[in-house]
Structures are given as structure tokens and as C-alpha cells.
Amino acid sequence: MLVLLGTACLVVVVGGMRAVAELVGPVFLALMLTVTVSPLTGWLRRRGAPVWLAATATILTVYLGLFALGGALAVSVGRLIDLLPEYQDKFAQLRDDVATGIGGLGVDVEQMRAAMTGLEPGTFARFVEALFGGLAGALGNSLFLLAVLLFMCLDAVHFPARMATAVTDRPQVVAALHTFAVGTRRYLLITTVFGLIVAAFDTALLWWLGIPLPLLWGLLSFITNYIPNIGFIIGVIPPALLGLLEGGPELMLWVITLYCVVNFIIQSVIQPKIVGDEVGLSATVTFLSLIFWGWVLGALGALLAIPLTLFAKGLLIDIDPSTRWVNSLLGGATPSPAEDEAADPAPADDDVHDDVHGMEVRRS
């Protein structure tokens, strides 16, 4: 009965979150950004800075980061839209070649051309705009996000004192929130470092291959690095399509191959291992969290999948000592042989001999 009631309540909560995803997503993004920059507030306060100065520095840091990223996205996408008309003839020729090639398989060429009339360079531009749209809309055009960030940053100055007051009555809640904050900062730090590495490699490779706007695609690689497991697949689509228009199938294959070599090794082999060990989530849990939060909150949920999972884990598992055993099932670290032996110790020969001897004594 307890499991059924808990599952029913969970369905109601998830359904409600999905219904108001446009509100929940920006609020949690603001919470994540506030948690990330809160060490700056504490550092300034420990150095004797007044409250207004610490709050102002925190707000300016977050706002400048958001506007810089949103401005870079807007400028880059604008340059791409201005560049696409130059590929009008190449795109039309490529479309005709595809229709003719498919026609060789027995399909009516005219029907294929009629079906592909909607494929224009503007379609590619709309695809890129939709790809960036979820994040760009939340970062650059949401007054609600900016307002929530303002109030959260103001509260962050006094939040440590409030936590110190609450720890005497609810130590488990404070410990769970602290675990969430530390895990979120570790995740963002690791993901940002690996994102910069991937973006540098991808930008250099695209510049070497002669793909237009390599900085834009490097920025896209940096952003999609926050999407677990499948981020690099999303990031390779636009430069691969542009490579197809610029140099044909051969250049597109080169882009895909080099992307897979660099991004797969870094994002799918090295990074998940480090992230899993630091935040306590296995690769399977991170992938499932990506699918779940992307379904609930959309594109922003996919970007915030790991912090959202850490927050849910803190409220549902870490807050209760009787449920913390679930962490061993969710964690990404593999137990060492010593831990396995401690969890399921095998009886030693001496212990068996002592037990047998004790039984004989009691029998006598």
C-alpha cells in the first residue's frame, strides 16, 4: 500500500511539473546558477564585504555570464542565417541529386521532387534555431528567469545563516541540501572543463576542414556537453549538414568521423566515469535521467538532467537514513574487492574450526 500510494503521488507530481514546465525549468535553472556562484558570496562575506556588495557581485556575475552566452548564441545564429543564401544553388542541386538517386530505385522522380519541395536552406536555419531555442529563450528572453535569479541571489547572502539555524531541528534536511549543492558544483565544474576541451578540439578540426563558422559549432559542442551521453550526437548534426553543402558527402563523412573520435572518447568514455565517481550516479542512471527530465521539462530538462536528479535524490533518498542504502544502487563507483568482502564476508577456516569446536563442547 505504501508503494502504491507513493507511486500515485509521484505520478501526480510529475504530471503537474510537466504541465507547468515553462515555470519549473527556469526556476530550477536559476537555483542551479545561484548554487554555483554561492561560494563567491561566502568568500566575500568572510573577507568582510558588506551584504549589499556581496549580493551585487553575485547578481552581476550571473547576469554577465547569461548575457554573454545568450549574445554569443544570437550573433552566431544570425551569421549562419546570413550565410545560408550562398548555398541556395548547392542545396537545390543536392536535392535534385537525391531525388534522382532514389528514382533509380523505382520511385517516381517527380513525386520525390514534390515531396522535397519544402526542403530549403531556411529549413536548416530553422532547425538550428530550434536546437538553440530552448536554451537561448531561457537565457536571453525570459524576464521571469532574471527576476527569480535576482531574488535568489539576494537570499543567497543570508542562506548560510538560515541553514545554521535549521540544522539543530532538521539536520537530515540540511545535510541533504548540502549534498545537492556540493554535487551540483562538482558536476558543473567537471562538465565545464570537459566542454571547453571538446569545444577547442572541435573548433580546430572544423577550421582545418574548412567548415564555415567553426566558432559557432564549437559553442554548440560546449553547450551540448551538458546533455549526458547523447550531447555530441546533437552537436555534430549542423556542421555535418553544412559540410555536405560545402564539400559533398566526403567532407560530411570527415566531419562525422573526427567528431566521433574526439567527442566519443572524451564525452562517452572519460567524462561519464569522472562525473559518476564525483556525483554518485552511474551511466545508466544519468541516461535514464536525461530521458525522463527531457520528457518532463523539454530541452531545458535535458540540459539540467543531472542537477535535477541530484536534487530529487537529496529530497527522496539522502534526507532519510532508512533509504540511503539506495545510493549504493545509484552510484557510479564500482565497489572494491575489500568492500565486497566486507559486505559479504566469507567465513575463514579458523572461524569454521572454532564454530565446530564450540558445537562439540556444547554437545559434550
Side-chain angles (χ1 to χ4, degrees):
M1 183 62 66
L2 182 61
V3 172
L4 290 176
L5 288 175
T7 304
C9 293
L10 184 62
V11 170
V12 173
V13 171
V14 171
M17 292 176 62
R18 193 179 182 190
V20 293
E22 66 277 3
L23 297 178
V24 176
V27 167
F28 194 83
L29 177 60
L31 174 62
M32 187 190 69
L33 293 175
T34 304
V35 168
T36 303
V37 300
S38 59
L40 173 63
T41 306
W43 181 82
L44 291 174
R45 291 291 291 156
R46 288 192 298 270
R47 295 298 184 276
V51 173
W52 67 268
L53 180 59
T56 303
T58 304
I59 295 171
L60 289 178
T61 301
V62 176
Y63 277 19
L64 288 177
L66 288 177
F67 285 127
L69 183 57
L73 287 174
V75 172
S76 300
V77 174
R79 290 185 58 192
L80 175 63
I81 295 175
D82 295 337
L83 181 66
L84 285 179
E86 300 179 8
Y87 295 97
Q88 184 76 35
D89 297 336
K90 293 182 180 179
F91 195 90
Q93 181 63 38
L94 177 64
R95 185 179 56 190
D96 293 338
D97 293 341
V98 172
T100 304
I102 297 178
L105 301 177
V107 182
D108 190 356
V109 177
E110 295 301 326
Q111 291 181 353
M112 285 302 305
R113 288 179 178 175
M116 299 173 65
T117 52
L119 295 178
E120 301 291 342
T123 306
F124 177 61
R126 287 190 294 272
F127 169 75
V128 175
E129 287 181 302
L131 190 61
F132 283 108
L135 182 64
L139 295 182
N141 301 322
S142 178
L143 295 178
F144 175 67
L145 171 64
L146 297 179
V148 173
L149 265 176
L150 174 63
F151 293 114
M152 283 190 177
C153 290
L154 291 175
D155 287 338
V157 180
H158 303 286
F159 198 72
R162 298 174 183 174
M163 293 279 285
T165 304
V167 72
T168 56
D169 297 326
R170 293 291 185 270
Q172 306 297 340
V173 176
V174 174
L177 293 177
H178 177 73
T179 302
F180 157 71
V182 173
T184 299
R185 283 195 286 266
R186 288 178 179 176
Y187 164 73
L188 291 177
L189 176 61
I190 295 171
T191 307
T192 301
V193 171
F194 277 100
L196 292 174
I197 296 173
V198 168
F201 274 108
D202 290 343
T203 302
L205 290 174
L206 294 176
W207 175 80
W208 177 64
L209 292 174
I211 302 297
L213 304 177
L215 291 177
L216 170 61
W217 311 128
L219 180 61
L220 178 61
S221 297
F222 173 76
I223 294 173
T224 55
N225 186 63
Y226 291 95
I227 302 177
N229 303 108
I230 63 171
F232 82 94
I233 299 177
I234 300 174
V236 74
I237 295 176
L241 293 177
L242 202 57
L244 178 63
L245 296 176
E246 183 71 20
E250 183 179 356
L251 184 58
M252 181 185 69
L253 290 177
W254 271 108
V255 172
I256 295 175
T257 302
L258 293 177
Y259 253 70
C260 290
V261 170
V262 174
N263 295 34
F264 179 80
I265 293 175
I266 296 178
Q267 290 181 280
S268 300
V269 177
I270 301 175
Q271 181 178 335
K273 171 62 177 174
I274 298 178
V275 170
D277 292 342
E278 289 295 328
V279 303
L281 296 176
S282 64
T284 302
V285 174
T286 57
F287 179 73
L288 293 178
S289 67
L290 165 68
I291 302 299
F292 175 76
W293 292 114
W295 173 74
V296 175
L297 300 180
L300 201 55
L303 286 171
L304 303 176
I306 301 300
L308 281 166
T309 303
L310 292 176
F311 186 70
K313 186 171 77 73
L315 292 181
L316 301 178
I317 297 175
D318 297 337
I319 201 172
D320 188 356
S322 63
T323 59
R324 289 179 187 171
W325 59 270
V326 181
N327 283 326
S328 61
L329 303 179
L330 301 178
T334 303
S336 62
E339 292 173 344
D340 289 338
E341 185 176 354
D344 187 17
D349 294 338
D350 294 338
D351 296 334
V352 174
H353 176 74
D354 293 339
D355 292 340
V356 174
H357 180 69
M359 293 173 61
E360 293 176 349
V361 170
R362 286 192 298 271
R363 186 181 299 118
S364 62

